[in-house]
Every structure is written in C-alpha cells, then in structure tokens.
C-alpha cells in the first residue's frame, strides 16, 4: 500500500475514544470542609454545655479526619488549632493545669503527630497511585490505539471501561485499520484477567495489524488469529502453566467495509452478535455459521466464514464485549443495550456512545464486574 505523508494507518481525523475508568460514586471534595466544621461544632458545644460536661476531648477527631482528607499543611494547621482551642476551652472552664486537662492536651498532641505521619503516608501512596495510573494509561495507548474519528466514509467512536478503575487496562481490545481491502475492525475479549489477559490482547492485536494488511480474505485473517492464539496456548503449556485450557481463549468479531460497496462483511468468532441500527430500529445480526473462539479452532471442525450485511449511508453498527450486556444492577437485572441504543439512535454518533457509557455506569452504580468495550460505526454519505 502506498503511503502518503498525510495518511495514518488508523484513519483520517482525530481520535474519538471515550476511554477511561468508571468514575467513583463518591468523591472526597464535598468532605473537605468536614474537619473545620467539626472543630467549630466541638468548640461551640463545649461552650454551651454545663461546666460538668466537657466535650473538648472530641477535638482529637479533627486532625484524624484532616489527615484522611486534606494536604499536609492543612492537617498541620488543624492539629495545632485543635490543641490551642482545647487549651483555651480548658482555661475558660478553669480546668487548665489539672491532671485530667494535661492528659487531654497530651493526647491531642500525640494524636496530632500521628495524624501528620498518617497524612504523609497517604500523600505518598497517592503519588504512587498517580504514577501507576500514568504507566497504565501509557501501556494502554501502546497496546490499543485510540480509534480515529473517521476512516474513508466510515465514522467511528469507541469506549473502553476496565472493571478495575485503578487498572485502566484489561482483557478487552479493539482496533480499526485502513487496509488495501477496505476498513477492517477487530473487537475481542480475552478469557481471564490480569497480566496474562493483557499479554494475550497485545499478541492478538499485533497479529491483527499484520494480517489485516496482508490477507485479502477476512476469514483468512480470523484463521491467522486463531493460529496465533493456539501457538500462545501451546507456549503456556510448555511453560507448565497451571491455568485451565478453557481459560485460554478469546472471543472476537471481525468486520470489513470494502471500498466502493455499501456492505459490511462480518466474521463471528464466538463473540456477542453486533447490533444494527437502521432507521431508528435496532436488531442483532445473528451469524449463519458462527466460528469458534480464537484458540479453540483445532477442537471444532468449523472454519470462520464471512457473512455479508447491507450497510448503506446512515446505517450504524454497534460492536461490544460481554461487559456491556452482562452488567447487572443491584437487583440482578442485566443492562439492556439494545433498548438504550434504540433510545439514543437519533443522536450523533459520539453523543450516542457517551449516552450508552453513562447509562451503563448508572445501571451498575459505577461498579463494573467485568471490562466493557464498545465500538460504534456509521456509514457516512
């Protein structure tokens, strides 16, 4: 394929990935004034209660709360303020200098020092977490390239949500390439989790980038991916890996949009069927002859076969992993992707994908049980 200075193997416009972890349901920001409010509440309560009731020892909770929520300088200031204010309250009540007062002030000093140490440790852990997140984000971009906004006459938009919000990376993967045979898309889900799944995803994506540009037949691309997966399984067996064989495979869906044709060719490899959005209606495209998952091709006497689907301007195709359809809410109800897609079918493609992402996170209350990936495609005029 001839390369031009303005060409990019992934597309023609800026990336449109809505990739990122599920946002936390609760944030720390609304709680930041809590230590100051507690300081004021304890001081006012101690002043307004009778002389025989002293609540000033509760001041010890102020630096503890500050250490969990605020930076070091604010924790130091509140620890000193709590100690000084308690001494003033003891003086006003005529208690300063008594043994019980000395015990309260000594306890506040010890708790303040312990809170400073705790705050320092928390800040160090947060810095380490930021570094880990940065490395994970870099690794994800190296592993899974951001989707372009457009390839030829095809608009694209994707979203990737790892189950572990701190990990930023998992076993789901997708890729979109401009090849001599048209635009080719891959989406898949590696069975299993952790570094083993990430390594398998990297191997399959690397194989797809090579095969998609070399093989004229999409079915041959799927066969090449299956061969690569089986070689990886054999290598793991040779290393004496104890994982079950059934944990070593990947489901995948390959889609090809040949140039000059208003069709899409699809090869199913044990993956959830795509959704076709046409004229506001959403239906699943069921394969005539589904192929086996990648890595299990030698167990089944079935070869991957490409099926052809009409794909005219205005039509959309939703490719997704099982994390989008197997996610459950607290009452055990599955996320209804077709229904949500039907609701947002008339919106622009990025807005539709954003709405599906928000609806999924709302459905699971921000707690995904599995990685979830979705790629939306639209044929432009």
């Amino acid at each position: 394929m001839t390369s031009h200075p303005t060409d990019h193997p992934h597309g023609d416009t800026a990336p449109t990935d809505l990739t990122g972890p599920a946002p936390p349901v609760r944030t720390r920001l609304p709680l930041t004034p809590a230590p100051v409010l507690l300081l004021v509440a304890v001081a006012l309560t101690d002043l307004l209660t009778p002389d025989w009731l002293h609540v000033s020892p509760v001041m010890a909770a102020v630096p503890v709360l500050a250490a969990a929520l605020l930076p070091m300088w604010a924790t130091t200031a509140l620890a000193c303020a709590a100690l000084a204010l308690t001494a003033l309250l003891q003086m006003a009540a005529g208690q300063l200098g008594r043994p019980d007062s000395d015990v309260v002030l000594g306890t506040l000093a010890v708790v303040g020092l312990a809170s400073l140490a705790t705050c320092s440790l928390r800040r160090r852990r947060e810095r380490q977490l930021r570094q880990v997140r940065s490395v994970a984000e870099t690794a994800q971009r190296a592993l899974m390239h951001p989707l372009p906004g457009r390839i030829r006459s095809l608009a694209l938009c994707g979203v990737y949500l790892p189950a572990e919000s701190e990990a930023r990376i998992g076993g789901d993967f997708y890729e979109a390439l401009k090849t001599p045979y048209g635009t080719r898309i891959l989406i898949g889900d590696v069975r299993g989790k952790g570094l083993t799944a990430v390594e398998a995803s990297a191997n399959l994506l690397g194989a797809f980038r090579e095969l998609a540009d070399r093989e004229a037949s999409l079915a041959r691309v799927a066969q090449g991916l299956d061969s690569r997966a089986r070689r990886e399984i054999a290598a793991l067996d040779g290393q004496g890996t104890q994982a079950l064989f059934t944990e070593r495979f990947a489901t995948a869906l390959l889609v090809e949009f040949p140039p000059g044709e208003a069709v899409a060719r699809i090869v199913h490899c044990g993956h959830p069927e795509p959704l076709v959005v046409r004229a506001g209606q959403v239906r699943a495209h069921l394969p005539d002859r589904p192929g086996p998952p990648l890595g299990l091709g030698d167990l089944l006497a079935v070869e991957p076969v490409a099926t052809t689907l009409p794909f005219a301007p205005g039509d959309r195709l939703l490719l997704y992993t099982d994390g989008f359809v197997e996610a459950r809410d607290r009452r055990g109800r599955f996320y209804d992707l077709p229904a949500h897609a039907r609701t947002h079918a008339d919106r622009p493609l990025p807005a539709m994908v954003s709405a599906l992402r928000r609806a999924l996170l709302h459905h699971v209350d921000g707690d995904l049980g599995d990685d979830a990936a979705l790629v939306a495609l639209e044929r432009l005029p």
Side-chain angles (χ1 to χ4, degrees), residues 78-90 105 108:
L78 284 171
C80 294
L83 182 61
L85 191 54
T86 301
L88 291 175
L89 292 173
Q90 297 280 10
L105 294 177
L108 276 173

Side-chain angles (χ1 to χ4, degrees), residues 324-325 327-328 333-337 340 355-357 359-360 363:
F324 253 92
V325 290
R328 302 191 187 205
R333 297 176 301 181
F334 289 105
Y335 177 74
D336 193 346
L337 178 60
H340 286 283
L356 295 177
R357 179 184 187 272
L360 174 65
H363 183 79

Side-chain angles (χ1 to χ4, degrees), residues 73-123:
W73 67 267
T75 303
T76 304
L78 284 171
C80 294
L83 182 61
L85 191 54
T86 301
L88 291 175
L89 292 173
Q90 297 280 10
M91 183 184 298
Q95 300 290 327
L96 192 63
R98 294 184 180 182
D100 55 345
S101 175
D102 294 340
V103 170
V104 171
L105 294 177
T107 301
L108 276 173
V110 173
V111 171
L113 292 175
S115 298
L116 292 179
T118 302
C119 182
S120 176
L121 180 61
R122 175 181 63 83
R123 299 289 290 179

